[in-house]
Amino acid sequence: MQDKLFEFISKYISLTEEEKNTLLSLDLFHSVKKGDVLLKEGQKTLNSFFVLKGCIRVYYNINGEEKTTAFYTEMEGLTPHCAINKNQSEYYISCIEDSILVVSNDNMSIEVNKKFPKFDIMCRKLSEELLAKKQIDFDEFKTSSPEQRYLNLLQKRPDLIQRVPQHQLASYLGIKPQSLSRLRARILEKK
Amino acid sequence: MQDKLFEFISKYISLTEEEKNTLLSLDLFHSVKKGDVLLKEGQKTLNSFFVLKGCIRVYYNINGEEKTTAFYTEMEGLTPHCAINKNQSEYYISCIEDSILVVSNDNMSIEVNKKFPKFDIMCRKLSEELLAKKQIDFDEFKTSSPEQRYLNLLQKRPDLIQRVPQHQLASYLGIKPQSLSRLRARILEKK
DNA sequence: ATCATTTCTTAACTTAAGTGAACGAGCTAT
DNA sequence: ATAGCTCGTTCACTTAAGTTAAGAAATGAT
């Protein structure tokens, strides 16, 4: 499982054995169970989460209703907003499948970056890439209807539709569960 | 105007005079006129754009229709997706006011980063921060109705509503110009 | 100053999403 | 096994956005 992490990192920088060992000494790997909550609204954390296996989701509690806004699956990760601006978190992060995560905290990465400055380069490339990608995703969302978004998701991340409950998918698509149900029925009719 | 750039940079790293001079020697500052197109669909560029004064917008041409997805005003900037993944651009970038921009290109920043590695640190902090902010913006967009989005924009970026044409604002809000018109009339009624 | 174009608004109509309620299927815990 | 939940779907109704068209207002070009 560690190899998957190194494989991912190698897309951005190359690591010596020494550097790999430094990383392995940091107790990065964590198993979490379906339903485990990694971060709650109002909490603070300096942790970042990277998914090696499984799926985590981000959701808000808005007037007692859960609104899911993001899923992270294999080889995807997030640094919560609150870890960057040192606020309390506005959202929850929880685990929707038994998962294996790399959990790294900010102090840790400051240490690592001191020892191996090229980690900064990786983090920079990675976050620039993710930023550009997020912008494209946002653009696609803005410029399409709920039905187009669903069809788009079906193309791009068919796994999500399988592994994620409908009502969570619905808010991810910016609509209510009933509307998603109806929209799917409508698509089936058309075929 | 250069001071505004240094002031911005100083939020992330501190610069020596030598470093400032190196930056100034790079011919970074450009004046552009309202309507000037900085990037077209299908083009490639390695340039990044940072707005010192004025406003630029990102828009797509989808079935002959312009869909505006982003605005960048004072002290905001973007690195186009195509500059990161070396593709042809999917979108246009143009100037909606006479503006003063910092235009930096990728080769240039590689040079600068070699000389002054702390620029990498700045870029990293900056893009991590922007990524987290973009995610929050996206979340807000997903979890609110067009009307809420408009009211939200009115709070957070009242300047945009003044300086940007309605039909561009509309697609920025994910709706048609007619719907924006109607929605604004509805809000006025309620008051 | 005038003409042409673009932009914004309004209106009538269509389509789709939101809302509230009901029902059955599947899970969970006891 | 069953009682209690959650989840997904369906329905009827409401509300708002999309569409098409028309006209007024603002802008730009000659």
Side-chain angles (χ1 to χ4, degrees):
Chain A
M1 192 52 73
Q2 305 165 352
D3 293 343
K4 292 185 78 174
L5 176 61
F6 292 138
E7 194 187 317
F8 178 82
I9 291 175
S10 74
K11 283 191 281 188
Y12 298 92
I13 53 175
S14 51
L15 290 182
T16 64
E17 284 305 314
E18 189 204 353
E19 289 162 339
K20 286 187 186 179
N21 288 331
T22 305
L23 278 184
L24 290 178
S25 70
L26 287 173
D27 184 34
L28 293 169
F29 301 87
H30 293 262
S31 281
V32 283
K33 289 257 163 257
K34 178 175 179 174
D36 284 359
V37 176
L38 307 172
L39 177 66
K40 288 185 183 175
E41 183 184 353
Q43 280 186 343
K44 296 186 177 190
T45 188
L46 295 175
N47 289 343
S48 290
F49 305 96
F50 183 83
V51 180
L52 288 174
K53 183 169 181 322
C55 182
I56 61 181
R57 70 185 250 261
V58 170
Y59 61 99
Y60 292 75
N61 182 320
I62 298 179
N63 305 324
E65 228 182 326
E66 268 188 22
K67 303 260 191 176
T68 299
T69 57
F71 299 103
Y72 297 87
T73 57
E74 284 76 15
M75 301 299 113
E76 296 178 339
L78 85 160
T79 301
H81 190 252
C82 68
I84 286 165
N85 66 6
K86 274 52 176 173
N87 286 347
Q88 295 184 316
S89 179
E90 293 128 279
Y91 50 72
Y92 296 77
I93 303 175
S94 86
C95 219
I96 65 177
E97 296 171 3
D98 291 352
S99 303
I100 300 171
L101 308 179
V102 177
V103 180
S104 69
N105 83 45
D106 195 40
N107 304 319
M108 197 184 278
S109 41
I110 288 172
E111 277 311 301
V112 174
N113 282 320
K114 250 186 218 161
K115 277 194 199 156
F116 309 113
K118 67 181 165 190
F119 271 94
D120 259 322
I121 307 214
M122 177 184 79
C123 290
R124 179 198 155 180
K125 284 187 187 168
L126 187 56
S127 47
E128 279 180 355
E129 195 181 294
L130 289 173
L131 175 60
K133 193 161 164 296
K134 178 80 59 187
Q135 178 67 55
I136 296 283
D137 285 349
F138 196 173
D139 291 352
E140 271 181 6
F141 192 94
K142 271 187 188 173
T143 57
S144 43
S145 66
E147 185 171 326
Q148 287 172 317
R149 280 175 222 150
Y150 177 78
L151 291 170
N152 192 31
L153 194 67
L154 209 52
Q155 288 283 326
K156 292 202 176 174
R157 306 198 53 182
D159 61 305
L160 269 193
I161 290 170
Q162 297 307 318
R163 68 208 284 195
V164 166
Q166 297 291 316
H167 64 285
Q168 292 174 10
L169 265 187
S171 52
Y172 182 70
L173 294 169
I175 57 177
K176 303 282 162 184
Q178 297 94 318
S179 299
L180 178 54
S181 235
R182 179 168 42 197
L183 172 164
R184 298 176 67 194
R186 202 163 61 218
I187 290 170
L188 283 177
E189 260 177 32
K190 284 183 190 166
K191 279 193 195 164
Chain B
M1 193 52 73
Q2 304 165 353
D3 293 342
K4 290 183 78 174
L5 176 61
F6 291 138
E7 193 187 317
F8 178 82
I9 292 176
S10 74
K11 283 191 282 186
Y12 298 92
I13 53 176
S14 51
L15 289 182
T16 65
E17 284 305 314
E18 189 204 353
E19 288 162 340
K20 286 187 185 179
N21 289 330
T22 305
L23 278 184
L24 289 178
S25 71
L26 287 173
D27 184 34
L28 293 169
F29 301 87
H30 294 263
S31 281
V32 284
K33 289 256 165 257
K34 178 176 177 171
D36 284 359
V37 176
L38 306 172
L39 177 66
K40 287 185 185 173
E41 182 184 353
Q43 280 185 345
K44 296 186 180 190
T45 189
L46 295 175
N47 288 342
S48 290
F49 306 96
F50 182 84
V51 180
L52 288 174
K53 184 174 180 318
C55 182
I56 61 181
R57 69 185 250 262
V58 169
Y59 60 99
Y60 294 73
N61 182 320
I62 297 178
N63 305 324
E65 227 182 328
E66 267 188 23
K67 304 258 192 178
T68 299
T69 57
F71 299 103
Y72 297 87
T73 58
E74 286 76 13
M75 301 300 114
E76 296 179 338
L78 84 160
T79 300
H81 190 252
C82 68
I84 286 166
N85 66 4
K86 274 59 175 169
N87 284 348
Q88 295 184 315
S89 179
E90 294 128 277
Y91 51 75
Y92 296 79
I93 303 175
S94 86
C95 219
I96 63 177
E97 297 171 2
D98 292 354
S99 304
I100 300 171
L101 308 179
V102 176
V103 181
S104 70
N105 82 45
D106 196 39
N107 305 319
M108 195 184 280
S109 40
I110 288 171
E111 277 311 302
V112 174
N113 283 320
K114 249 187 219 160
K115 277 194 198 155
F116 309 113
K118 66 181 164 190
F119 272 95
D120 259 324
I121 306 208
M122 178 183 78
C123 291
R124 179 197 155 181
K125 284 187 188 169
L126 187 56
S127 46
E128 280 181 353
E129 196 182 292
L130 289 173
L131 175 60
K133 194 162 162 296
K134 179 79 61 187
Q135 177 66 56
I136 296 282
D137 285 348
F138 197 174
D139 291 351
E140 270 182 7
F141 192 94
K142 271 186 186 171
T143 57
S144 44
S145 66
E147 186 172 324
Q148 288 172 316
R149 279 175 222 151
Y150 177 78
L151 291 170
N152 191 31
L153 194 67
L154 210 53
Q155 288 282 326
K156 291 202 176 171
R157 306 198 55 182
D159 61 302
L160 269 193
I161 291 170
Q162 297 308 315
R163 68 208 286 192
V164 166
Q166 297 292 317
H167 65 284
Q168 292 174 11
L169 265 187
S171 52
Y172 182 69
L173 294 170
I175 57 177
K176 303 282 164 186
Q178 298 91 319
S179 299
L180 178 54
S181 237
R182 179 169 39 197
L183 171 164
R184 297 176 68 196
R186 202 164 59 217
I187 289 170
L188 283 176
E189 259 177 33
K190 285 185 194 168
K191 282 192 194 164

